[in-house]
Amino acid sequence: MQQVNEVVKGTGLGTRLTWGSNKCFDHKHYPEGVLTVVVDGIEKCPLCERERLNKQLEQEFTEKAIEMERNKNYNTLYNRSILQDKTIAQARFENYRTDEPEAKRNFELMKQYASEILEGKIFNVLLYGTPGVGKSHLSYSLLYFVNEAKPKDKSCLFVDIDEMLRKIRDSFDNPESIFTEHYFTSLLSDVDVLVLDDLGAETGNEHTEKKASDFTGRILRAVTNARQDKVTIVTTNLPGTQLNKMYDHKTLSRLSKKRRAITFTETSDKRKLDLGF
């Protein structure tokens, strides 16, 4: 009986109970049955009640853990993205200019791709064109659209490649920096939808013939190898012939897997300033 008394205490029923007149035979460790208790006029098995409470607590804990993970995923875009141009964070499909036919076509394609990502489809997107045509704008807009869609469980991230590499290099002389190579390779490898912005800009002038450094290549290889079952979106100002000279075949092959290409050849520079001369 001592064991049963301890079980009763573990139910949280406290002293609001008296022993009942029946037994519960649903527990194999008590072949002679467990004496019931009467709580507020209701007869209950203390073991069944403890199991019910344990299941309830387990469910509440699971729901809380799921909610915490969902919040972490949701906040990834806003808290961990690396932007050179902070105004990109305001990019939305709604404020993208579609006053030119090519821009409108590409806008519709990116909206379609956003919907397909929410359906669970896996592919890569490569946006190519001259600076200022809206590649970064559309890419961030897609991330925002996916991130805000219920149940808000996909993690999204926007990373300016040049800025990321600069932060990693800075960490070499700053042991307190969190922006290490390991930090970024883990982060970029894990998120569901990643934008790698301005591929090739890290080498300098867009007309350069320089190859990407071993340092850059190592990071991009690690990330692209890990993302073969995830969506990766790349923007670049450089044509394929130039990218082939700059990066190793394996990295470009990974980025080209299930590729959707969006090209800007007719759209004007939306950031171009008329200086009047």
Side-chain angles (χ1 to χ4, degrees):
M1 186 64 68
Q2 180 62 31
Q3 287 179 315
V4 174
N5 284 334
E6 291 176 358
V7 168
V8 170
K9 292 178 184 177
T11 64
L13 297 175
T15 59
R16 300 175 294 113
L17 56 85
T18 59
W19 291 109
S21 56
N22 298 308
K23 289 186 176 182
C24 174
F25 295 93
D26 292 340
H27 310 282
K28 63 180 180 179
H29 294 301
Y30 296 92
E32 296 181 0
V34 177
L35 189 63
T36 60
V37 294
V38 179
V39 184
D40 295 334
I42 301 174
E43 196 164 0
K44 300 180 179 181
C45 166
L47 280 183
C48 289
E49 187 67 7
R50 184 177 71 176
E51 291 173 0
R52 183 188 69 79
L53 290 172
N54 284 343
K55 287 181 180 178
Q56 179 180 326
L57 287 172
E58 184 179 346
Q59 181 176 352
E60 290 174 358
F61 178 81
T62 300
E63 290 174 354
K64 185 67 175 177
I66 292 173
E67 183 63 22
M68 289 176 63
E69 182 67 18
R70 186 172 291 160
N71 286 337
K72 185 186 80 170
N73 288 344
Y74 173 78
N75 288 315
T76 296
L77 177 63
Y78 309 119
N79 295 341
R80 305 183 77 178
S81 288
I82 303 296
L83 311 174
Q84 264 193 344
D85 178 2
K86 303 300 183 184
T87 64
I88 288 295
Q90 305 305 315
R92 305 289 185 267
F93 283 136
E94 291 77 12
N95 58 25
Y96 179 70
R97 287 170 50 192
T98 58
D99 46 355
E100 297 174 87
E102 182 182 64
K104 183 173 178 57
R105 285 196 305 271
N106 291 340
F107 165 76
E108 294 295 342
L109 280 173
M110 288 295 279
K111 285 179 63 178
Q112 175 189 323
Y113 296 161
S115 297
E116 290 183 25
I117 290 169
L118 290 173
E119 293 169 2
K121 295 182 180 179
I122 304 296
F123 50 87
N124 294 327
V125 183
L126 176 63
L127 293 93
Y128 161 71
T130 55
V133 294
K135 302 184 296 297
S136 300
H137 187 122
L138 283 177
S139 297
Y140 193 94
S141 298
L142 179 146
L143 292 182
Y144 180 82
F145 184 91
V146 171
N147 202 61
E148 294 295 324
K150 293 182 179 180
K152 298 184 178 181
D153 58 351
K154 288 190 180 296
S155 55
C156 299
L157 186 72
F158 185 101
V159 171
D160 180 283
I161 298 174
D162 189 32
E163 185 67 15
M164 174 188 68
L165 295 173
R166 187 177 296 114
K167 287 182 178 294
I168 295 174
R169 291 190 188 95
D170 289 344
S171 75
F172 296 162
D173 298 319
N174 180 7
E176 296 183 2
S177 174
I178 66 167
F179 298 120
T180 62
E181 182 175 339
H182 175 73
Y183 168 86
F184 277 115
T185 53
S186 297
L187 176 62
L188 272 60
S189 296
D190 290 343
V191 293
D192 297 312
V193 189
L194 170 68
V195 170
L196 293 172
D197 191 48
D198 217 359
L199 180 66
E202 76 282 356
T203 60
N205 189 289
E206 65 182 273
H207 301 295
T208 183
E209 293 294 325
K210 290 193 301 185
K211 284 183 174 291
S213 68
D214 291 340
F215 164 68
T216 301
R218 181 176 69 243
I219 294 171
L220 290 177
R221 278 193 300 275
V223 171
T224 55
N225 283 342
R227 295 196 56 79
Q228 295 183 67
D229 60 344
K230 300 178 177 70
V231 176
T232 305
I233 299 166
V234 178
T235 77
T236 184
N237 302 332
L238 306 179
T241 52
Q242 196 165 345
L243 292 176
N244 276 314
K245 294 177 182 177
M246 295 170 64
Y247 301 98
D248 66 87
H249 174 75
K250 185 173 289 187
T251 297
L252 294 177
S253 176
R254 296 281 188 261
L255 291 174
S256 297
K257 190 175 181 180
K258 297 182 180 179
R259 182 187 62 188
R260 312 281 184 89
I262 288 185
T263 59
F264 292 85
T265 58
E266 302 166 4
T267 305
S268 60
D269 185 344
K270 300 180 186 302
R271 299 175 301 195
K272 195 170 184 179
L273 179 64
D274 184 3
L275 298 177
F277 58 83

